[in-house]
Amino acid sequence: DTGVSQDPRHKITKRGQNVTFRCDPISEHNRLYWYRQTLGQGPEFLTYFQNEAQLEKSRLLSDRFSAERPKGSFSTLEIQRTEQGDSAMYLCASSPPRDRVSGANVLTFGAGSRLTVL
Amino acid sequence: AQSVAQPEDQVNVAEGNPLTVKCTYSVSGNPYLFWYVQYPNRGLQFLLKYITGDNLVKGSYGFEAEFNKSQTSFHLKKPSALVSDSALYFCAVRSYSGAGSYQLTFGKGTKLSVIP
C-alpha cells in the first residue's frame, strides 16, 4: 500500500458544473477525513467517516456538498453547482483504529485534489 | 473549542543555524498536539506528536518540539537547518466531537525559508 490516493489531482471546471473527487485510503484504516485548504490557510475540516458511517460534518459543508464512503473503503466528495469560492485544495486523510498505545490518531494525508472554478 | 495559533506567517533562517517555528494552543483538558509539514503540491506529512510524557518530543527529519504547559506552547525546533527544510509547517490540536469522533484543527501555517 503506497498511502492515501486522490483522484483527480487537478480539476478545472466552469461555475455551475458538478465535480466529484475520489479518495482511496490506506487499506487497514477505518477512519477517513476530508479537509479543504485555501491559499494561505491551514486545512479546514469538512467531514469524517468511521467505516461507512459519516459521523461528523462541518458547517462548511453546505448542501451542495455530499460525501459518501460505500462499504467503508474509498470515499467520494461531490460538489454540485460549483461556485468560484469552492476553488481550493481538497485533502483526504485516513487513520487507523484508535492507537491503543498513545490514544491518539495520526492522520495520513493524500496529495490532494486541486479544484479551480472559472 | 480547541484551537492553535501560529503567530509567524514566515520564518527565515540561514542554513546551519537553529530554527524555531512557534505554536500556541487553547484547549480544554489535556492537549494532543501535532506538527505537519507540507511541500509544494504535496499533501501534509506527519512530523511528530505530543500526547503525554516528556515535554521534549523527537520526530522525523531531525525535528523536535517542546511542550510547555504553563505557556500553552508547542514550538517546533531543529538544531541545524537545511535548505531542504524549506516548506510550510502546520501545528494542529486534536478536537473531540463526541461519539468517538476525533479530528485535527490546524493553524494557518508558517512558511519556513532556509537561506543557503
Side-chain angles (χ1 to χ4, degrees):
Chain A
D1 194 308
T2 57
V4 178
S5 299
Q6 292 190 245
D7 184 72
R9 292 290 309 276
H10 303 276
K11 179 70 176 179
I12 300 173
T13 191
K14 293 181 179 179
R15 188 179 55 180
Q17 298 295 305
N18 299 344
V19 297
T20 300
F21 301 115
R22 176 181 170 123
C23 172
D24 288 89
I26 293 173
S27 57
E28 61 267 28
H29 287 185
N30 67 333
R31 300 175 181 230
L32 187 146
Y33 305 77
W34 285 99
Y35 281 79
R36 181 177 70 186
Q37 184 180 20
T38 53
L39 196 63
Q41 300 295 319
E44 298 171 296
F45 171 75
L46 292 179
T47 190
Y48 160 69
F49 290 85
Q50 185 166 314
N51 300 309
E52 67 276 8
Q54 188 175 19
L55 295 186
E56 189 180 359
K57 292 192 289 187
S58 162
R59 59 179 173 78
L60 294 175
L61 214 66
S62 75
D63 56 5
R64 296 185 297 105
F65 287 70
S66 63
E68 296 182 341
R69 192 183 182 195
K71 302 179 183 178
S73 56
F74 72 92
S75 176
T76 58
L77 177 68
E78 181 183 16
I79 309 174
Q80 296 182 324
R81 306 181 303 281
T82 52
E83 301 173 356
Q84 288 183 328
D86 297 332
S87 296
M89 176 76 86
Y90 291 86
L91 296 167
C92 178
S94 66
S95 68
R98 180 172 176 158
D99 184 332
R100 294 180 178 84
V101 174
S102 68
N105 295 327
V106 173
L107 274 61
T108 300
F109 282 83
S113 293
R114 182 171 296 282
L115 173 65
T116 301
V117 181
L118 302 176
Chain B
Q2 326 282 50
S3 66
V4 292
Q6 295 181 242
E8 301 157 318
D9 291 336
Q10 178 146 358
V11 170
N12 297 323
V13 63
E15 186 177 23
N17 282 3
L19 69 87
T20 298
V21 182
K22 296 180 180 178
C23 173
T24 58
Y25 65 88
S26 174
V27 302
S28 54
N30 294 323
Y32 287 15
L33 298 162
F34 301 78
W35 275 102
Y36 280 79
V37 61
Q38 186 176 36
Y39 297 98
N41 300 314
R42 303 274 294 276
L44 279 74
Q45 297 179 30
F46 169 74
L47 282 178
L48 49 80
K49 66 181 179 183
Y50 172 82
I51 307 302
T52 186
D54 290 341
N55 290 340
L56 187 64
V57 179
K58 294 189 182 298
S60 306
Y61 313 119
F63 283 93
E64 56 190 26
E66 185 172 11
F67 171 72
N68 188 315
K69 187 173 183 178
S70 63
Q71 297 185 1
T72 62
S73 67
F74 188 56
H75 300 333
L76 181 70
K77 299 182 179 184
K78 188 174 183 181
S80 178
L82 300 173
V83 173
S84 57
D85 292 330
S86 299
L88 265 176
Y89 290 81
F90 292 96
C91 182
V93 63
R94 191 182 77 167
S95 301
Y96 176 66
S97 306
S101 173
Y102 298 90
Q103 45 133 322
L104 293 184
T105 299
F106 289 86
K108 290 187 175 183
T110 298
K111 182 179 180 181
L112 173 67
S113 293
V114 180
I115 303 161

